[in-house]
Amino acid sequence: MYSVMLVDDDLPVLEFLAGAVDWTGLGFRLAGTYQNPLEALAAAGETRPDVLITDIGMPEMDGIELIKVISAAGEPGLKTVILSCHDEFGYAQMAVKLGVSEYVLKETMTAKSITELLARLKKELDGEGEARHKSRELELSVRRNRSDLKRIFLRKTLSEPLLDPAEWNRQASEYGVEFGRSTAYVPVLGFPCRMREALQRFQTRELLVYTAENIAGELLGPGDAAVFSLESGELVLLFPHYSQLHINNRQKMEDMLRKLQQCLLQYGKTPFTFVTGTPVADGKGLRETVNREIAAAQGRFYWPEASVLRLEHLQASFGSGDLLLAEYVTALEEFRRAVLEEQTEQVEAFIAKWLAFIQYHRFNPVEVKEWLLKIILDIRMRLKSLQHYQSSYASEVLHHDVMELTSLGELEAWLRSYMLQAVEWAEQVYQESKNREIMECQRFVSVHWNERITLEDAARHLHLHPNYLSRLFKRETGENFVEFATRVKMDKARELLKLTDKTVEDISFLLGYDNKQYFTKLFKAHTGQLPSAFRLQKDS
């Protein structure tokens, strides 16, 4: 719906126009009526009218001047109509020079004539709007096609041998890359720091790439850098390096990159990190340096977010995953106990502890994610064993979400959210349980798996008589207390046999059994295998 502004120092004219015309029916919205042209001018900055209908002779500012000022500051395509008591050539001539749409004599003005005039103006506005839309669509299509061609050119440069350097240089020049005797280029790789969040915001990787490339193209002019992108979401920027000029190329480039980071965050809501290479003199050097930057970016998991880094300073190696695996049982037990006991502060402390451990040793990011996934899935399984537990996370969704995380900071935020939600789930399970004594008893056993737990211990913890707890537990769960406690310990035994090198005797003592033979007998009854055979099976 188009907006209309009425300006006339004659109040009866304003009242006539406002009341005699079916504005809504014609597709217009009456944005305001003004007797004072200065007030109308001030309001036009906010309302940005599509149609201005104004008297020509008014005190303080006449209609001709009002049209000049609003047209200069307003949207293109403003339609203007002059109302006048003067049928004089001079006024009409000035109106023509201003491109006024209609010149209406008040003495001939009727509701019908104004309605017909507005219908014509709406038709013109519709046509011009459609033309602008088609023009924008065409421009967008051209820009996207050019962007696609640049992306193909870069992909071939990075993955295929340069058999014809002259032809490569010709194509590169079409995209603003002109290698010369005194001009080299510094390749810069830029990538979004929180890809998962960015994809949720943009819906598709293609739209993310297109947006980032356009923001970079708007900020960096042809003389600043050539802008390319990769299908995977990275930007590749080529900054000219003038070796014969006495300027600090690198400082200027890094200042521009920091400004670009601000624009990408402000307009694209996505933080970017940039890796700068060293100057290259030809296509071969470009390919080698950008591929080195891409390879180095495998370690970006540990880089500070929204930073500008130099390729030569980056560490590409990772710590041994054996150390990470060796700490799995300890980390699992700490997180599991904190969740089951609903200890939010402990959850936060353990997250900080283990992520600092990971950061210090710089383990392979894939191994880190798989390590944490196993911990999360184990806690999820323990919560599932409690009554009334329902998780909104499917295992496949968990795996996909964790593997999509691209930085330690992003992983920390996701892990904190999941673990704190797990604490809430645990609280909800206990609060909604029909028999909280049973739930608390199960939690007591799950937390104290490494102790010699008896029915009397659990009853003392719950302030219940052992006989009453025994009957209640059997009635509510279908198994007696000893069967449940043994099942918890045997599940833990299987976990220790799979994940550690502890001897069977050590595991039996760790689970609170003084007699290895008795533990072995229980394990075989529970699993159908001896502990040694179970361990050999998992190693095969």
Side-chain angles (χ1 to χ4, degrees):
M1 189 168 288
Y2 301 109
S3 62
V4 181
M5 177 179 285
L6 302 179
V7 188
D8 198 312
D9 60 336
D10 189 349
L11 182 60
V13 172
L14 287 179
E15 292 177 343
F16 168 74
L17 289 173
V21 175
D22 180 10
W23 298 98
T24 304
L26 290 169
F28 291 94
R29 175 180 62 86
L30 191 57
T33 59
Y34 302 90
Q35 284 186 270
N36 188 321
L38 295 181
E39 292 179 3
L41 179 61
E46 295 183 5
T47 59
R48 305 179 75 86
D50 299 295
V51 177
L52 171 63
I53 301 178
T54 179
D55 186 15
I56 196 168
M58 296 179 290
E60 298 187 75
M61 176 181 283
D62 63 34
I64 296 292
E65 187 63 25
L66 180 63
I67 290 172
K68 284 182 182 179
V69 178
I70 293 181
S71 296
E75 290 288 330
L78 172 69
K79 301 298 179 183
T80 53
V81 178
I82 285 181
L83 305 178
S84 177
C85 298
H86 306 282
D87 185 12
E88 296 183 9
F89 177 74
Y91 285 115
Q93 190 177 40
M94 285 188 289
V96 169
K97 288 181 179 180
L98 284 175
V100 171
S101 304
E102 295 285 345
Y103 189 94
V104 178
L105 291 175
K106 290 183 179 180
E107 63 184 32
T108 64
M109 182 175 64
T110 64
K112 181 180 179 182
S113 65
I114 294 297
T115 298
E116 292 174 349
L117 183 155
L118 289 170
R120 290 197 301 273
L121 293 182
K122 183 179 183 302
K123 188 175 181 180
E124 290 179 14
L125 287 167
D126 288 343
E128 292 170 4
E130 184 178 352
R132 285 195 298 270
H133 175 72
K134 289 182 178 179
S135 178
R136 285 195 296 267
E137 287 291 317
L138 180 60
E139 181 183 355
L140 182 62
S141 176
V142 170
R143 293 176 68 178
R144 282 189 169 175
N145 287 339
R146 181 173 173 81
S147 178
D148 290 341
L149 291 173
K150 290 169 67 178
R151 196 172 299 128
I152 293 170
F153 169 75
L154 180 62
R155 185 177 66 239
K156 289 183 176 180
T157 298
L158 299 180
S159 60
E160 298 178 6
L162 272 61
L163 301 177
D164 188 344
E167 174 60 19
W168 186 91
N169 284 327
R170 186 194 66 77
Q171 293 183 40
S173 67
E174 293 181 3
Y175 304 124
V177 179
E178 299 275 1
F179 284 103
R181 291 182 179 179
S182 60
T183 305
Y185 284 88
V186 178
V188 176
L189 178 70
F191 53 85
C193 301
R194 295 176 177 257
M195 179 63 81
R196 180 169 171 267
E197 292 179 10
L199 291 178
Q200 288 176 342
R201 185 178 303 111
F202 287 96
Q203 301 300 316
T204 67
R205 195 178 298 265
E206 180 185 9
L207 184 56
L208 167 62
V209 173
Y210 180 75
T211 302
E213 187 175 357
N214 274 276
I215 292 174
E218 289 291 331
L219 178 67
L220 304 173
D224 298 322
V227 180
F228 295 83
S229 64
L230 298 172
E231 290 87 345
S232 49
E234 294 87 357
L235 292 175
V236 175
L237 312 175
L238 304 182
F239 284 84
H241 181 86
Y242 304 104
S243 57
Q244 295 182 359
L245 298 181
H246 298 290
I247 59 175
N248 192 334
N249 288 285
R250 181 168 288 279
Q251 185 60 53
K252 179 183 177 183
M253 175 183 69
E254 291 182 353
D255 289 344
M256 295 186 74
L257 288 173
R258 291 187 178 91
K259 188 174 181 181
L260 177 56
Q261 285 176 324
Q262 294 174 1
C263 292
L264 288 165
L265 186 59
Q266 179 180 355
Y267 302 112
K269 309 300 181 187
T270 305
F272 267 68
T273 284
F274 292 100
V275 178
T276 65
T278 53
V280 298
D282 52 28
K284 181 180 179 182
L286 172 64
R287 179 182 62 195
E288 292 174 353
T289 300
V290 174
N291 281 329
R292 282 177 56 213
E293 290 172 340
I294 293 172
Q298 300 302 313
R300 70 192 190 205
F301 188 75
Y302 295 100
W303 297 348
E305 292 186 355
S307 53
V308 177
L309 306 170
R310 298 188 183 185
L311 178 60
E312 60 267 29
H313 297 164
L314 298 178
Q315 177 182 343
S317 59
F318 297 118
S320 171
D322 293 340
L323 178 59
L324 184 64
L325 289 175
E327 297 294 336
Y328 175 79
V329 173
T330 303
L332 171 61
E333 189 53 38
E334 288 180 348
F335 279 118
R336 186 162 56 195
R337 182 184 289 261
V339 169
L340 292 177
E341 292 185 346
E342 305 166 36
Q343 297 294 326
T344 302
E345 291 184 1
Q346 283 192 1
V347 168
E348 294 275 10
F350 290 141
I351 289 173
K353 168 188 172 180
W354 288 107
L355 290 186
F357 171 74
I358 291 167
Q359 172 81 58
Y360 179 79
H361 292 284
R362 291 178 56 88
F363 300 112
N364 186 301
V366 175
E367 294 178 351
V368 169
K369 294 173 189 178
E370 291 177 344
W371 185 80
L372 283 171
L373 262 176
K374 289 176 66 177
I375 291 175
I376 290 167
L377 290 173
D378 182 277
I379 293 173
R380 182 172 178 269
M381 182 182 69
R382 289 305 172 98
L383 287 172
K384 266 190 167 183
S385 69
L386 301 176
Q387 299 175 18
H388 311 299
Y389 170 78
Q390 288 186 341
S391 171
S392 59
Y393 288 84
S395 298
E396 297 79 8
V397 173
L398 279 172
H399 186 274
H400 176 270
D401 286 352
V402 172
M403 288 302 170
E404 282 287 308
L405 303 175
T406 55
S407 70
L408 193 62
E410 194 176 13
L411 177 64
E412 179 180 6
W414 186 91
L415 181 62
R416 178 176 291 106
S417 174
Y418 184 89
M419 286 296 186
L420 294 180
Q421 190 172 2
V423 171
E424 292 179 4
W425 287 333
E427 291 174 350
Q428 184 178 355
V429 166
Y430 299 128
Q431 290 171 1
E432 294 181 357
S433 172
K434 294 180 180 178
N435 198 319
R436 295 189 63 187
E437 289 89 352
I438 297 302
M439 303 302 297
E440 181 58 33
C441 181
Q442 291 177 325
R443 175 164 60 172
F444 178 76
V445 173
S446 296
V447 169
H448 298 278
W449 58 267
N450 58 334
E451 301 175 19
R452 186 184 299 173
I453 305 170
T454 64
L455 177 64
E456 287 72 19
D457 294 329
R460 191 179 306 111
H461 173 72
L462 295 169
H463 306 289
L464 298 174
H465 192 281
N467 290 341
Y468 171 75
L469 177 60
S470 178
R471 292 193 300 272
L472 183 64
F473 197 97
K474 178 70 174 180
R475 185 178 73 242
E476 293 291 330
T477 67
E479 61 182 343
N480 62 44
F481 176 84
V482 173
E483 290 171 340
F484 174 77
T486 301
R487 179 162 60 83
V488 170
K489 286 178 177 287
M490 293 304 105
D491 287 344
K492 188 65 182 179
R494 288 192 294 187
E495 180 183 293
L496 293 170
L497 287 167
K498 284 182 179 179
L499 301 174
T500 73
D501 294 326
K502 295 181 183 298
T503 66
V504 174
E505 186 172 15
D506 288 341
I507 291 173
S508 67
F509 289 144
L510 186 60
L511 292 170
Y513 297 107
D514 293 333
N515 189 302
K516 172 187 171 183
Q517 285 70 29
Y518 178 64
F519 163 72
T520 301
K521 180 180 178 181
L522 285 176
F523 189 87
K524 183 176 181 182
H526 190 75
T527 65
Q529 292 178 296
L530 293 172
S532 56
F534 179 84
R535 171 169 278 167
L536 288 174
Q537 183 184 51
K538 69 97 180 177
D539 289 335
S540 60

